[in-house]
C-alpha cells in the first residue's frame, strides 16, 4: 500500500510540474487502479488502519491535497476508451464517498459534467459498433470513407473497447452516483441537476443494447429510477421544476415505438412519480402539466399518435378524479383548437369515455347533461363536421366505436339517443339535425369520410333502430354506386342492416333498387355479397312466409310489397342475373319454389273464400316472375298440376287483343272500350307462366307436352294475343318442340316448318289489310264522325279488331325471325317496305309501291311495328341491313313520334353490335337523339351509346365526347345522374385523359364559337352546332357551362390541371390578346369570360405550400408515408409559380391593356380572376407583377377591399342573426344587454379570426348605438331635413332655394359629402 501511495504522489508531483491550465493531462491507468484500490481499502470498515490518512499526510508533505486529484481525474473522464473513462468516473465517485472526504471542495460542476459525459460516451460508443443491434450501415460507410489506416485503427480501438467494456462497471457507477446524491446539494448547481436528470433519463434508451438479457436491463432501469427519485429530496431544489425536467426528459421514450424502454418510462411515471406526487403538491401540478406537454408533443402520423394516446391514458388512469376531470375538460377545449390538436382530441375522447369510470354520470346524483361523457360526445359529434377531412373521418370512426361501446347498457343507450337527438326529449337544436349530419357525411367529397359515415350509420341502425329519415336511406342507396369498392361494401352493409331492422316498405324498395344492381359490379366480392344478401333478405323471407301460411291466413303486407317491387322494370334485370348466378352455383333450394306456389294458391283461395269472381283475381305481383326465374334450376320443385290449373284459368278467363285498340278514346264501343284493370296483369302472368312451363317442359309427360305445343301453335296462329305474350308463346313453342324431338336436326326442321306456316298466314293478313286500305283510299273513303252512333260504333269495333290482328301478326313475324333466323322472309320484307313508305311523296323512296295510302297516320301502331319487325329481319341478314339502314337513319331524324324514335334508337344500337361497320358512319346522326325533346328518347340514347362505348363498338372520337357533355346539365335528373356516373367512374377508369385532351375544344363547342381562327369549324353544320351548344352570356347559360367544366376538372390529376391551366392561357387568353380570337363577336366574349371563370375556380387551383400547411389535420389515416406525394406537390407548386411569373402574367397584362382600349366589360372578370389566382402569392406579387406596377397596386387594393367586404358582410349577418333572437327574450332583459350578450358569445367562438371578431364588434357597437338613440327618442324617428333649422348660406349667385324651401347650396354640400370609409380600409 505504501508503494502505491508513493507512485500516486510521484505522478501528482509530475503532473503539477507539467500542468498546463489550457490542457490538463489525465491520470495514468496504473495510478487510476492504485487510487481505486486505495479508496476501496479505505471504505473497508473491517480494516482498523485507514490508508487514506497516510495518503493525506503524504500529500500534505508534498504541498498537495485531495483537490489536486480532481482535474487529472476529470481529464481522464473526458478522454480515452470507454472502460477507462468509466473507471475514472467510478474513482471520482469513490473519492467523494471516502471517509472524511471534503465533498464541498472535491465536487465541481465541471467534474460532474465530465462524469455524466463519460457515461453517455460509453453507451454511445457501444451502440455505434458495427454488427451490434441498433447500429446502422451509415456509420460503417462513413468509417470506410475515412481512409484505410485510420479506419483500421478505429476498428482496433472498437475491438479493444468490446473486449474490455464491462456493464458491471456501469452498474457500480450508478450505485455510487445514488449514494453521492445524499452528500451533494444540487440546489446550488441547477445546470448540474438538469444535466443529471437528462443523462439518467436517457440511459435506459441508450443502454438497452448493452444489457444482454432482461435481468441486466431491469437492474439498469432500477438504478436509474432510484437516482431520479433522489433528486426530489429537499436539498436539491424546487420540486415542481425538478419534476418538469424529469417529465421532459422522459417524453421521447414515452412517445417512441413499443419497447421495454417505453414500458419503463410509463411505469416510472405511473408508479414512482405518482407516489411522489401524492406527497408533494409541486410534483402533482407538474404531472398535470406533463399531460398537456405530451398532448402538444404527440406526433402527426397515425401509428405514433395512437401510441401517444395510449401513453397519455396510462398516466390519466392512475391520477386522482379531480385531475382526470380537469384533463377531460381540457381535451374538450382542444376540439376547438388547431387542426392537429382537434385530431388528437378526437382520439383521446374515445379512450377517455371507454376507460374512465362512470364518465357518463349514470351513477351520480347530478344531471346527465352535465357529465363529462355528455360533453365529450357533443364535442365528438361537432368534429364530425370539421373543416379537415381527416378529422371528420376520424371523428365518425371513433363515434361509431363509442356507439358500440355504449350500446351494451340500457341507460347508456338512452343517453346516447338523447345526445344524438333520437330520444324523446329534444334540445334547442332543430329536429333531425343528426340525420342531416349523417346525410352530408355520406355524400362527403373525401372517401375516408364517406366510409366512416356509413359504418356509423350501420352501427346506429343496428342499435337504435329508429329515428332515421327517408332521405338518409336514399343517400345510402346512392352510396352503393360510389367509385370506391370499400365504400360500396360499406353502403351495402348499412342498407342491409336497415332492411333487416326496419319494416318500412320504403327501405325495402330502396334496397331492391340499389343492392341487386351491384351483381354486375367489377368486384367479385361485391357480386358474392349481393347473392348472399338476396338469398337471406328475399328468398329466405319468401320461403318463411310460404311455409307458414295456410288457406285461411292473410298474406303479410311486407313480403307482398317485396315481391311487387321485384318485378319493377329497373329491378327485374338484376334479379334475373342473381337467380342465374345462384342457379349455376346450385344455391337455389326447392323450398323457394314451393313457397311461391303456396303463396299463389293461398292468394287464390282467399279470393274465392270472399265469393269474388275468379276472372278478377290476380296473383301477388312478382310471384309468377320470381317463380319463372327459379324454375329454370328447380324444375322438379314445380308441380305440373299447379301449372295446368293456372294455364287453363288464364286461357279461359284471360283478356286477349282488346288492349291494343288503335282508335282514339271515345270512338270505340262501350263494351269494347271497357278494359279490365287486371287484364295487363293477367297478360304478364301468362308470360311468366309460359316461361315456367318452358323451363319445366323436360319434366312433362310426352302426351302433355305435345298437347301443350299444339295449343300454343293454335294461339299463335290466331294473332289475337297481347304483344307481351307473343314472344313468350313463340319461345315456349320452340322449347317444347326441341325437347320433345330427340334428333336436333328433326327438331330444327319441325320448328322451321311451323315458322314458315305461321309467317305465311301473317303475310296474308298483312297483304289483305294493305289491299283493303288501298281500295278504300282509291274509292275516296274516309272516316267521319258517325251520325248513327250504333252503326258507326260497330264499324269502329271491326276496324279496331282488324288493325289489332294485323299489328299482332307483324309483331309475331319479328319474334319468329329471332328464333329462326334462316326462315325465308323475302315476301314479307316487300310488304313491310310498303307500310313504312306508304304516303311518302319522294318518288325515289316510293318507286316500288304504287300505294298512295299513309298508314303512318291511319294506322300508327302498324307503322311503328313494321319498322321494328324490319329491324329484326335486318339483324339476321346483313344484305338486307345494308339496303335499309339509311332508311332507319332518315326516319330517326324526321319522325315526329317519340315512341318510334325510341324504338329506332334501340334498333340502331343493335345494328352497332351486329353490323358495326355499316353503322359507324351514322353515329354522329344517332347522337342527335341526345338532344331529343322527349326525355325517354334522350335517356334511352344515352344508356345505349354508353354501353356501346364501354364495349368498344363505338369509339370516343370526333364530336361524340363533346355531345355527351350536355347530358351533364340535362333537364332530367335521371339523365344527369347517369352522366355524372359515366364521367366520374367509367370514363375516369377507361379513358382518363379524354376530358383533358378535349377541354379547350369543349369551351368553343359549348359556346358555338367560330370566331377563333384555329377553332373555326369541324363540328358539323351550323344547325348541329347550335343544337349541341349552350349559347348566351346570361347567368343560367354560364352556370350550365361552368357545371360541365367543373365536372371535367374534378376527374383530372394535378399535373393535368396544371397543363389545362397553361392551355387556357396560351390557346384562349393569348389568342385574344394576339387578335386570333375576335372579341367583337359575342361568342368570342363568352369563350373569354368562361376562360376567366375556369381559371378562377377552385377545382383548377392546385394548393400551394401555404394551403397545404393549413391542412395539417388532414393526415393519412393508414399511416402511409406521403413523402413522395408531398415532393410531387411541391414540384407542381413550383412549376405553377414559375409558369405564373414567366408565361401567365405577361398575357394578363397585355390582355388587360387590350380590354381597356376597347372599354370592354370583361375587365372586371379579368381583375377578379387575377385576384383569385394571386391570392396564394400575396407576398410574391411584387416579383410576379414587376412589369406593371399599376396593376400590382390595383390588385393589392382589390384583395384588401374584397376581404374587408367579406368580413363585414359575415359580421353583419352574424349580428343580425343574434338580433333576431333578441325578440324571444323575456321582457325583463334589455335589448342592449341581449345584443352585448350575443356579441360576447360570438367573439368567444371566433377567437381565431381577429378581423372577423373586430368587424363583429363594430357592427354590434353600431347596433347598440342605434338602440340607445331609439330609446332616447322614445321611438320617434329622425325629423326630415326640411324640419331642421339650417344656416342660411349665401353665394355669389344669390341665395337660390329649392321648391321645399331648403337652400340649393345646402343640398349640394350634402350631395358632395365625401365618404371616409377608405380610411378604415387602409
Amino acid at each position: 500500500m505504501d508503494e502505491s501511495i508513493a507512485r500516486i504522489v510521484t505522478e501528482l508531483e509530475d503532473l503539477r510540474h507539467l500542468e498546463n491550465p489550457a490542457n490538463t493531462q489525465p491520470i495514468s491507468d496504473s495510478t487510476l487502479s492504485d487510487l481505486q484500490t486505495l479508496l476501496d481499502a479505505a471504505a473497508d470498515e473491517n480494516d482498523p488502519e485507514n490508508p487514506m490518512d497516510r495518503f493525506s499526510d503524504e500529500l500534505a508533505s508534498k504541498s498537495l491535497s485531495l483537490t489536486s486529484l480532481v482535474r487529472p481525474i476529470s481529464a481522464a473522464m473526458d478522454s480515452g476508451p470507454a472502460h477507462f473513462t468509466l473507471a475514472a468516473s467510478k474513482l471520482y465517485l469513490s473519492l467523494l464517498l471516502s471517509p472524511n472526504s471534503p465533498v464541498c471542495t472535491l465536487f465541481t460542476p465541471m467534474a460532474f459534467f465530465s462524469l455524466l459525459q463519460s457515461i453517455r460516451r460509453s453507451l454511445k460508443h457501444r451502440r455505434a459498433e458495427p454488427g451490434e443491434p441498433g447500429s446502422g450501415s451509415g456509420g460503417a460507410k462513413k468509417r470506410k470513407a475515412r481512409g484505410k489506416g485510420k479506419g483500421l485503427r478505429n476498428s482496433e480501438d472498437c475491438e479493444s473497447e468490446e473486449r474490455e467494456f464491462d456493464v458491471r462497471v456501469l452498474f457500480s457507477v450508478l450505485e455510487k452516483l445514488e449514494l453521492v446524491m445524499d452528500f451533494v446539494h444540487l440546489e446550488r448547481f441547477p445546470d448540474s441537476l438538469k444535466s443529471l436528470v437528462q443523462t439518467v433519463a436517457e440511459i435506459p434508451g441508450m443502454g438497452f443494447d448493452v444489457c444482454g438479457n432482461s435481468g441486466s436491463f431491469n437492474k439498469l432501469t432500477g438504478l436509474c429510477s432510484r437516482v431520479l427519485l433522489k433528486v426530489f429530496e429537499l436539498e436539491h431544489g424546487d420540486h415542481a421544476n425538478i419534476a418538469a425536467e424529469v417529465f421532459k426528459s422522459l417524453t421521447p421514450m414515452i412517445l417512441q415505438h413499443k419497447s421495454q424502454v417505453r414500458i419503463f418510462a410509463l411505469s416510472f411515471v405511473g408508479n414512482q412519480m405518482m407516489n411522489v406526487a401524492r406527497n408533494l403538491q409541486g410534483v402533482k401540478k407538474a404531472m398535470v402539466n406533463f399531460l398537456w406537454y405530451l398532448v402538444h408533443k404527440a406526433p402527426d402520423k397515425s401509428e405514433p399518435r395512437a401510441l401517444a394516446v395510449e401513453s397519455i391514458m396510462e398516466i390519466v388512469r392512475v391520477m386522482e378524479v379531480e385531475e382526470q376531470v380537469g384533463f377531460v375538460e381540457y381535451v374538450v377545449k382542444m376540439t376547438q383548437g388547431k387542426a392537429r390538436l382537434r385530431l388528437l382530441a378526437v382520439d383521446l375522447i374515445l379512450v377517455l369515455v371507454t376507460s374512465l369510470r362512470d364518465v357518463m354520470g349514470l351513477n351520480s346524483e347530478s344531471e346527465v347533461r352535465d357529465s363529462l361523457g355528455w360533453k365529450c360526445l357533443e364535442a365528438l359529434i361537432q368534429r364530425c363536421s370539421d373543416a379537415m377531412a381527416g378529422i371528420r373521418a376520424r371523428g365518425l370512426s371513433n363515434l361509431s366505436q363509442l356507439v358500440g361501446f355504449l350500446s351494451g347498457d340500457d341507460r347508456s343507450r338512452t343517453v346516447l339517443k338523447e345526445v344524438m337527438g333520437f330520444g324523446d326529449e329534444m334540445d334547442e337544436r332543430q329536429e333531425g339535425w343528426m340525420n342531416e349530419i349523417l346525410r352530408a357525411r355520406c355524400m362527403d367529397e373525401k372517401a375516408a369520410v364517406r366510409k366512416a359515415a356509413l359504418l356509423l350509420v350501420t352501427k346506429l341502425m343496428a342499435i337504435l333502430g329508429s329515428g332515421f329519415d327517408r332521405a338518409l336511406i336514399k343517400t345510402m342507396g346512392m352510396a352503393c354506386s360510389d367509385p370506391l369498392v370499400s365504400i360500396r361494401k360499406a353502403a351495402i352493409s348499412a342498407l342491409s342492416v336497415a332492411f333487416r331492422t326496419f319494416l318500412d316498405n320504403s327501405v325495402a324498395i330502396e334496397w331492391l333498387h340499389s343492392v341487386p344492381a351491384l351483381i354486375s359490379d367489377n368486384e367479385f366480392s361485391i357480386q358474392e355479397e349481393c347473392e348472399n344478401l338476396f338469398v337471406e333478405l328475399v328468398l329466405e323471407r319468401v320461403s318463411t312466409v310460404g311455409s307458414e301460411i295456410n288457406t285461411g291466413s292473410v298474406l303479410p303486407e311486407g313480403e307482398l310489397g317485396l315481391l311487387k317491387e321485384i318485378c319493377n322494370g329497373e329491378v327485374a334485370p338484376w334479379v334475373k342475373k342473381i337467380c342465374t348466378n345462384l342457379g349455376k352455383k346450385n344455391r337455389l333450394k326447392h323450398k323457394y319454389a314451393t313457397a311461391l306456389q303456396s303463396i299463389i294458391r293461398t292468394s287464390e283461395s282467399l279470393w274465392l273464400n270472399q265469393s269474388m269472381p275468379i276472372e278478377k283475381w290476380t296473383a301477388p305481383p312478382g310471384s309468377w316472375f320470381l317463380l319463372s326465374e327459379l324454375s329454370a334450376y328447380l324444375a322438379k320443385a314445380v308441380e305440373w298440376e299447379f301449372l295446368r290449373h293456372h294455364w287453363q284459368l288464364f286461357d279461359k278467363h284471360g283478356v286477349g287483343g282488346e288492349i291494343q285498340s288503335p282508335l282514339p278514346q271515345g270512338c270505340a264501343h262501350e263494351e269494347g272500350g271497357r278494359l279490365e284493370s287486371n287484364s295487363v296483369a293477367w297478360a304478364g302472368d301468362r308470360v311468366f307462366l309460359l316461361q315456367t312451363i318452358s323451363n319445366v317442359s323436360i319434366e312433362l309427360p310426352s302426351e302433355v307436352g305435345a298437347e301443350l305445343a299444339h295449343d300454343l301453335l293454335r294461339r299463335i296462329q290466331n294473332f289475337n294475343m297481347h304483344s307481351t305474350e307473343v314472344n313468350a308463346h313463340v319461345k315456349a313453342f320452340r322449347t317444347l318442340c326441341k325437347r320433345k324431338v330427340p334428333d336436333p336436326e328433326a327438331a330444327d326442321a319441325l320448328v322451321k316448318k311451323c315458322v314458315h306456316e305461321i309467317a305465311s298466314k301473317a303475310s296474308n293478313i298483312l297483304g289483305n289489310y294493305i289491299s283493303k286500305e288501298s281500295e278504300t283510299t282509291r274509292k275516296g273513303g274516309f272516316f267521319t264522325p258517325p251520325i248513327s252512333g250504333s252503326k258507326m260504333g260497330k264499324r269502329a269495333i271491326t276496324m279496331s279488331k282488324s288493325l289489332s290482328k294485323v299489328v299482332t301478326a307483324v309483331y309475331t313475324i319479328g319474334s319468329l325471325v329471332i328464333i329462326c333466323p334462316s326462315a325465308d322472309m323475302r315476301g314479307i320484307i316487300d310488304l313491310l317496305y310498303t307500310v313504312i313508305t306508304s304516303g311518302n311523296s319522294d318518288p325515289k323512296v316510293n318507286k316500288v309501291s304504287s300505294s298512295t295510302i299513309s298508314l303512318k297516320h291511319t294506322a300508327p301502331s302498324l307503322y311503328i311495328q313494321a319498322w321494328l319487325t324490319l329491324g329484326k329481319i335486318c339483324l339476321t341478314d346483313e344484305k338486307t341491313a345494308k339496303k335499309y339502314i339509311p332508311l332507319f337513319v332518315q326516319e330517326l331524324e324526321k319522325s315526329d313520334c317519340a315512341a318510334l324514335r325510341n324504338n329506332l334508337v334501340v334498333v340502331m344500337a343493335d345494328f352497332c353490335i351486329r353490323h358495326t361497320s355499316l353503322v359507324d358512319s351514322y353515329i354522329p346522326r344517332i347522337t342527335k337523339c341526345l338532344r331529343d325533346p322527349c326525355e325517354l328518347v334522350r335517356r334511352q340514347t344515352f344508356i345505349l351509346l354508353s354501353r356501346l362505348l364501354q364495349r368498344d363498338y363505338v369509339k370516343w372520337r370526333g364530336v361524340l365526347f363533346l355531345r355527351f357533355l350536355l347530358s351533364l346539365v340535362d333537364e332530367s335528373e335521371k339523365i344527369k345522374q347517369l352522366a355524372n356516373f359515366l364521367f366520374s367512374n367509367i370514363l375516369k377508369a377507361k379513358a382518363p385523359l379524354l376530358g383533358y385532351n378535349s377541354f379547350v375544344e369543349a369551351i368553343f363547342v359549348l359556346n358555338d364559337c367560330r370566331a377563333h381562327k384555329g377553332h373555326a369549324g369541324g363540328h358539323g353544320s351550323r344547325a348541329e352546332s347550335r343544337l349541341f351548344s349552350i349559347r348566351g352570356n346570361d347567368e343560367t347559360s354560364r352556370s350550365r357551362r361552368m357545371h360541365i367544366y367543373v365536372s371535367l376538372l374534378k376527374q383530372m390529376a394535378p399535373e393535368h390541371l396544371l397543363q389545362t391551366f397553361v392551355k387556357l392561357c396560351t390557346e384562349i387568353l393569348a389568342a385574344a390578346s394576339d387578335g386570333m380570337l375576335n372579341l367583337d363577336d359575342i361568342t368570342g366574349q363568352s369563350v373569354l369570360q368562361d376562360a376567366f371563370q375556369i381559371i378562377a375556380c377552385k377545382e383548377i387551383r392546385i394548393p400551394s405550400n401555404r394551403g397545404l400547411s393549413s391542412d395539417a389535420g388532414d393526415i393519412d389515416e393508414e399511416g402511409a408515408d406521403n413523402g413522395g406525394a408531398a415532393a410531387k406537390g411541391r414540384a407542381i407548386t413550383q412549376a405553377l409559380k414559375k409558369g405564373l411569373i414567366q408565361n401567365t402574367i405577361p398575357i394578363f397584362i397585355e390582355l388587360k391593356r387590350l380590354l381597356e382600349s376597347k372599354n370592354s366589360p370583361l375587365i372586371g372578370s379579368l381583375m377578379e380572376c387575377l385576384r383569385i389566382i394571386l391570392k396564394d402569392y400575396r407576398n410574391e406579387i411584387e416579383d410576379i407583377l414587376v412589369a406593371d406596377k399599376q396593376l400590382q397596386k390595383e390588385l393589392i387594393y382589390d384583395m384588401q377591399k374584397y376581404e374587408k367586404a367579406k368580413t363585414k358582410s359575415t359580421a353583419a349577418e352574424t349580428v343580425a342573426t343574434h338580433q333576431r333572437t333578441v325578440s324571444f327574450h323575456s321582457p325583463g332583459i334589455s335589448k342592449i344587454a341581449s345584443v352585448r350578450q350575443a356579441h360576447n358569445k360570438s367573439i368567444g367562438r371566433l377567437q381565431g379570426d381577429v378581423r372577423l371578431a373586430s368587424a363583429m364588434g363594430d357592427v354590434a357597437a353600431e347596433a347598440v348605438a342605434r338602440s340607445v338613440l331609439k330609446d332616447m327618442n322614445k321611438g320617434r324617428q329622425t325629423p326630415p331635413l326640411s324640419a331642421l333649422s339650417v344656416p342660411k348660406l349665401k353665394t355669389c349667385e344669390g341665395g337660390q332655394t329649392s321648391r321645399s324651401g331648403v337652400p340649393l347650396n345646402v343640398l349640394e354640400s350634402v350631395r358632395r359629402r365625401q365618404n371616409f370609409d377608405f380610411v378604415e380600409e387602409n
Side-chain angles (χ1 to χ4, degrees), residues 444-483:
D444 198 275
E445 61 180 355
K446 296 294 185 179
V449 181
R450 298 197 299 272
K451 182 179 179 180
L454 289 168
L455 293 176
L456 174 59
V457 171
T458 305
K459 284 280 186 69
L460 289 173
M461 285 186 173
I463 294 168
L464 302 181
S466 62
F468 296 97
D469 58 2
R470 178 80 177 93
L472 181 59
I473 302 296
K474 186 72 175 177
T475 303
M476 289 190 292
M478 295 172 62
C480 291
S481 301
D482 197 274

Side-chain angles (χ1 to χ4, degrees), residues 713-921:
L713 179 60
R714 177 182 57 81
R715 288 178 59 86
I716 294 172
Q717 291 177 343
N718 288 335
F719 302 114
N720 60 352
M721 293 182 292
H722 191 275
S723 59
T724 57
E725 299 179 77
V726 174
N727 277 331
H729 279 73
V730 170
K731 291 178 181 178
F733 175 74
R734 182 193 60 175
T735 304
L736 287 171
C737 290
K738 285 183 173 292
R739 290 187 177 180
K740 293 310 171 184
V741 179
D743 186 12
E745 294 182 0
D748 291 337
L750 176 61
V751 172
K752 191 171 183 180
K753 177 184 176 182
C754 295
V755 167
H756 180 71
E757 181 182 347
I758 299 170
S760 178
K761 290 186 177 182
S763 179
N764 292 333
I765 293 173
L766 178 58
N768 294 334
Y769 183 82
I770 294 175
S771 300
K772 288 181 180 179
E773 289 295 319
S774 300
E775 184 179 354
T776 304
T777 305
R778 282 197 300 272
K779 291 180 179 180
F782 52 90
F783 187 75
T784 57
I787 300 174
S788 173
S790 61
K791 187 174 181 180
M792 205 60 197
K794 291 179 181 179
R795 182 181 175 186
I797 293 173
T798 304
M799 292 176 60
S800 170
K801 290 183 177 180
S802 175
L803 179 58
S804 177
K805 189 171 185 177
V806 174
V807 172
T808 305
V810 174
Y811 186 86
T812 305
I813 293 172
S815 300
L816 294 174
V817 170
I818 298 300
I819 68 166
C820 187
S822 60
D824 186 9
M825 296 289 176
R826 284 176 293 182
I828 296 174
I829 291 175
D830 294 338
L831 293 173
L832 294 175
Y833 182 78
T834 303
V835 174
I836 64 176
T837 58
S838 62
N840 198 324
S841 59
D842 188 355
K844 294 181 180 179
V845 177
N846 205 21
K847 63 182 179 180
V848 178
S849 175
S850 60
S851 173
T852 58
I853 60 173
S854 178
L855 294 176
K856 180 178 181 180
H857 300 98
T858 60
S861 58
L862 175 61
Y863 185 76
I864 294 173
Q865 202 59 252
W867 279 105
L868 294 180
T869 302
L870 184 60
K872 293 176 182 178
I873 295 174
C874 291
L875 283 175
T876 60
D877 186 4
E878 187 174 358
K879 291 183 180 179
T880 307
K882 189 175 182 180
K883 182 178 179 182
Y884 289 104
I885 281 179
L887 282 179
F888 280 93
V889 177
Q890 181 180 350
E891 186 67 20
L892 180 63
E893 292 180 333
K894 294 184 177 180
S895 175
D896 55 356
C897 177
L900 179 57
R901 295 198 304 272
N902 185 59
N903 289 324
L904 289 177
V905 167
V906 178
V907 171
M908 295 303 295
D910 291 337
F911 286 165
C912 286
I913 298 174
R914 193 66 62 89
H915 312 300
T916 308
S917 59
L918 297 178
V919 187
D920 193 50
S921 60

Side-chain angles (χ1 to χ4, degrees), residues 927-1034:
T927 56
K928 291 169 69 175
C929 292
L930 291 170
R931 303 296 290 165
D932 194 275
C934 177
E935 177 190 347
L936 178 62
V937 178
R938 296 199 306 274
R939 185 165 76 244
Q940 187 81 281
T941 306
F942 183 89
I943 293 172
L944 293 173
L945 286 177
S946 300
R947 290 177 179 174
L948 294 173
L949 289 163
Q950 291 179 63
R951 298 168 65 183
D952 289 331
Y953 286 109
V954 177
K955 302 296 182 182
W956 287 105
R957 59 171 176 254
V959 298
L960 188 58
F961 174 75
L962 300 175
R963 292 186 175 183
F964 260 79
L965 292 177
L966 273 82
S967 299
L968 289 166
V969 290
D970 195 273
E971 296 174 357
S972 169
E973 285 296 327
K974 289 185 177 180
I975 296 178
K976 284 197 286 189
Q977 291 176 6
L978 291 171
N980 284 325
F981 184 79
L982 174 69
F983 283 96
S984 62
N985 297 302
I986 299 174
L987 275 186
K988 190 174 183 180
K990 190 174 181 62
L993 298 180
L994 196 58
Y996 160 68
N997 292 328
S998 307
F999 190 84
V1000 176
E1001 187 179 8
I1003 299 176
F1004 287 94
V1005 172
L1006 292 175
N1007 284 281
D1008 190 21
C1009 178
R1010 296 172 183 260
H1012 191 290
K1013 296 180 181 179
H1015 298 268
H1019 304 299
S1021 65
R1022 192 71 178 178
E1024 289 184 2
S1025 299
R1026 286 183 176 273
L1027 183 64
F1028 286 95
S1029 66
I1030 311 175
R1031 289 170 59 95
N1033 241 342
D1034 55 291

